[in-house]
Amino acid sequence: MNGIGVIAVTARGRAAAERLVAAWPGEARHVTAERPADALRAAFTECGAVVSFLAIGATVRVLAPLLADKTADTPVVCVDEATQHAVAVLGGHHGANDLAHRVSEVLGSRPVVTTASDAVSVTPLDSYGDDAGLTIEDRGPLAAVGAAVLSGEAVRIEGAGEWPLPPLPDNVAPAVPADRAAAVVRVSDRTGEAAAPGVPTLTYRPPSLVVGVGAARGVSAGEVGRLVDQTLRDEGLAPGSVRGVATVDLKADEEGILAAARERGWEVTCYPAADLSGMEVPNPSETVRAEVGTPSVAEAAALRCAAEAGRGGGAVAGAGEGVRGSDIGAELVAAKRKSDNATAAVARLAPRGRLAVVGLGPGARDLATPRAVAELRRASVVVGLDQYLDQVRDLLRPGTRVVASGLGQEEERARTAVEEARTGAAVALIGSGDAGVYAMASPALDFAGADIDVVGVPGITAAVSASNLLGAPLGHDHAYISLSDLHTPWEAIERRLRAAAEGDFTVCFYNPRSKKRDWQLTRALEILAEHRPPDTPVGHVRQASREGERATMSTLDRMLAGGVDDVDMFTVVIVGSSASRTVAGRFVTPRGYRWSG
Ligand code: SAH
């Protein structure tokens, strides 16, 4: 018997076991026997993997006589009573490490993995691509393929290239010849692709297909379902890759279509006839046009829906007449077929790449958000400035392609990231602080079209990390001003400085001073000094949360009397408003509310 056997004896253990069984229906089951040791032995011999809520010592003692071969023994994970730890005890490399992670996701425990660290940071196959909508066709070969991947054997990968998937280590490559592969990972919406005998092959179904359906009023669900199933079967297309059904909105309440889709777990999307009539299709019909206002329902709706979900995303909206699928990233893979009362067609989409614009925070690892770290580990290509990449290299999963560049090549870096995403890849473009504050997000989004998905991950920007070291200077309205006049004329900067001075904003200066730009900060402080007292607090922080961090409190007049000398490009300068004060050495800008009376 396959599946996961769960063993528990105490009440708390049983409650946790039930949570696993509920989380993995059809996969996990509670194995019981009169004596717990018998249940454990039975699970070990009968199941594909075991989760034991007995102590590690007890588990190992019971199983010891049954252990034979580390590559063949059933993987075992032990979880403590308080569900704090899920320990991969046996068969780490062929399933237990992954299982410890899966258990932890359900129970909120911490996975404990004691095999080599490179192996654990490899993208786990059991959740590979799940956020891009990939599903595993048959989990059977998972353990064997996972073992081949983790043990560095030559594994062939097919069809993954165009999907925004996380990286796999270098031993997993499209170039591995089929006849030399120890295992195969296949991303495909086609059925009937035979696996070589004896080579474990793991098939993922990408959400790449849309079934277009048309029907006469009153059609039965059985008829629609049969036509759709037959169409997929005849064309060798996997039902597991169908992301949904599309039709014209006149059919939004056509119970036969809705029920057939519901039975198969597919969503139905409906389009106004006007949105379909412009699509160029192989089998238009004037009779259909006269009835519903578009010459094609099944083919046009399938293409349109596939385009929207795929690379055509933005282009398809507002497209006029004569729109070809190929123009909007969709292709018809099954032309219209008819039964007595229904029509069906299938379109395939070109997957959208994914660009994550990730702010790493000011420097310290614990000031990068968990989400930023997750995005780095999700990307197969990471683009950034070499100094930031060095900060995070140890976090990247094996197989990640790193595109590093030097200072000043911002436009090129942004363009590279977007172009990589356009090929369908999962790309992370990284920057320090927040990637949208005086950083890479704007040039990247200037290049990015509607054909890719863009995800922004916020980071703690320099002004915020500096303000926390200084006290509470940002307690009321404040402005960020970059003093770099490399790409902005100084007159424009000065106009904003005057406005901020007159508006009595607390001001944070980024890019305050460099060897070549040595007068701008003094000029800026002079402008502010025209509007606020000489003892206005000024704080500056160099290398916030990095090695050599230094936070200094000063005042406007002291800064103007030579205090700017220790300010450089690794420093952020915060000038208080006229209400800011120094309290016990800390920079405080009072909130504007009247707290009392
Ligand atoms: N995206 C970054 C800002 C880039 S502009 C962010 O959100 O923080 C570069 C300027 O940011 C530097 O010249 C400096 O003024 C400031 N800066 C960035 N990191 C800093 C740090 N750790 N400590 C102090 N200032 C920093």
Side-chain angles (χ1 to χ4, degrees):
M1 209 215 99
N2 268 315
I4 300 171
V6 185
I7 313 297
V9 282
T10 63
R12 287 177 78 176
R14 274 198 300 273
E18 287 313 320
R19 282 167 65 197
L20 292 181
V21 172
W24 304 328
E27 191 187 5
R29 68 185 176 109
H30 202 157
V31 181
T32 52
E34 206 149 302
R35 293 175 13 178
D38 292 335
L40 183 55
R41 273 190 284 270
F44 186 81
T45 40
E46 290 167 16
C47 297
V50 174
V51 178
S52 163
F53 287 87
L54 310 182
I56 292 181
T59 303
V60 170
R61 235 181 290 281
V62 169
L63 296 180
L66 306 179
L67 298 182
D69 169 357
K70 78 170 193 167
T71 61
D73 285 337
T74 311
V76 176
V77 168
C78 287
V79 185
D80 64 292
E81 273 279 298
T83 64
Q84 282 190 354
H85 298 104
V87 189
V89 173
L90 295 168
H93 279 175
H94 59 279
N97 291 351
D98 283 354
L99 185 57
H101 281 94
R102 288 184 67 202
V103 168
S104 297
E105 273 165 31
V106 178
L107 300 180
S109 40
R110 184 186 285 261
V112 179
V113 167
T114 56
T115 46
S117 62
D118 66 336
V120 294
S121 73
V122 167
T123 303
L125 285 184
D126 60 357
S127 55
Y128 178 64
D130 57 2
D131 60 356
L134 267 62
T135 51
I136 297 177
E137 171 94 337
D138 164 19
R139 300 183 73 88
L142 187 57
V145 176
V149 169
L150 290 176
S151 53
E153 291 178 67
V155 174
R156 180 178 165 81
I157 183 161
E158 298 169 359
E162 16 171 54
W163 289 88
L165 296 170
L168 287 168
D170 295 339
N171 58 307
V172 184
V176 173
D179 57 355
R180 288 212 359 248
V184 175
V185 172
R186 182 177 279 163
V187 179
S188 169
D189 59 18
R190 299 217 148 268
T191 55
E193 293 170 319
V199 180
T201 299
L202 187 60
T203 301
Y204 292 88
R205 295 300 182 200
S208 53
L209 304 176
V210 176
V211 179
V213 174
R217 194 43 82 201
V219 67
S220 74
E223 180 177 343
V224 173
R226 274 191 302 277
L227 176 65
V228 168
D229 293 346
Q230 190 63 44
T231 304
L232 292 170
R233 208 173 308 129
D234 290 350
E235 299 293 336
L237 298 168
S241 275
V242 174
R243 57 187 300 135
V245 167
T247 187
V248 66
D249 60 7
L250 272 178
K251 303 289 165 194
D253 58 353
E254 191 62 58
E255 195 42 43
I257 296 178
L258 299 180
R262 204 162 45 231
E263 282 161 17
R264 289 160 183 76
W266 299 338
E267 287 202 1
V268 180
T269 310
C270 302
Y271 294 96
D275 285 357
L276 302 181
S277 59
M279 300 293 308
E280 209 156 274
V281 296
N283 301 295
S285 149
E286 284 311 315
T287 326
V288 174
R289 188 202 291 277
E291 272 172 38
V292 291
T294 165
S296 165
V297 172
E299 291 179 343
L303 280 169
R304 166 110 200 179
C305 187
E308 269 182 10
R311 242 167 251 184
V316 69
E321 289 299 304
V323 184
R324 259 177 276 151
S326 56
D327 299 336
I328 53 174
E331 115 187 75
L332 211 57
V333 284
K336 180 171 76 176
R337 306 182 159 221
K338 289 191 210 167
S339 60
D340 291 343
N341 301 296
T343 57
V346 185
R348 175 187 285 140
L349 58 86
R352 297 165 69 81
R354 185 171 192 280
L355 175 65
V357 186
V358 181
L360 298 176
R365 180 61 60 85
D366 63 348
L367 290 182
T369 64
R371 190 179 299 183
V373 173
E375 284 293 346
L376 287 177
R377 294 166 63 77
R378 195 209 174 289
S380 64
V381 183
V382 176
V383 183
L385 201 61
D386 13 17
Q387 69 198 67
Y388 301 142
L389 282 162
D390 289 342
Q391 257 180 52
V392 296
R393 227 173 262 272
D394 63 301
L395 292 172
L396 305 182
R397 290 195 187 275
T400 308
R401 189 148 56 82
V402 172
V403 185
S405 61
L407 264 177
Q409 295 163 299
E410 295 194 337
E411 200 170 300
E412 186 196 315
R413 203 150 61 231
R415 211 182 270 279
T416 305
V418 170
E419 273 160 16
E420 290 283 353
R422 271 203 184 120
T423 68
V427 181
L429 174 60
I430 62 166
S432 87
D434 183 89
V437 176
Y438 303 121
M440 298 301 298
S442 329
L445 300 205
D446 262 344
F447 294 133
D451 54 342
I452 59 171
D453 290 327
V454 176
V455 182
V457 180
I460 298 175
T461 188
V464 168
S465 53
S467 87
N468 283 278
L469 291 165
L470 295 168
L474 307 184
H476 206 280
D477 300 336
H478 52 278
Y480 290 4
I481 297 182
S482 165
L483 292 183
S484 169
D485 53 357
L486 294 179
H487 302 290
T488 309
W490 179 254
E491 300 73 59
I493 297 173
E494 199 162 307
R495 200 168 61 220
R496 288 183 189 163
L497 282 166
R498 288 190 187 289
E502 278 171 29
D504 199 22
F505 288 91
T506 297
V507 183
C508 309
F509 291 124
Y510 282 67
N511 303 308
R513 189 167 179 272
S514 69
K515 282 209 182 73
K516 285 198 195 121
R517 291 185 304 102
D518 59 355
W519 55 266
Q520 286 85 345
L521 177 60
T522 306
R523 180 79 199 108
L525 295 172
E526 283 167 2
I527 293 171
L528 295 181
E530 289 168 21
H531 295 267
R532 47 196 87 172
D535 62 348
T536 301
V538 177
H540 51 92
V541 176
R542 183 166 195 275
Q543 301 285 35
S545 92
R546 300 182 189 145
E547 203 181 315
E549 170 184 284
R550 192 181 64 215
T552 311
M553 281 301 289
S554 180
T555 56
L556 256 182
D557 54 351
R558 275 194 278 142
M559 289 299 282
L560 283 169
V564 297
D565 289 352
D566 27 329
V567 172
D568 63 9
M569 283 297 278
F570 298 103
T571 312
V572 88
V573 179
I574 305 184
V575 182
S577 72
S578 62
S580 302
R581 305 187 294 264
T582 308
V583 181
R586 302 189 187 98
F587 191 154
V588 181
T589 302
R591 296 185 66 188
Y593 305 104
R594 291 175 211 284
W595 290 98
S596 55

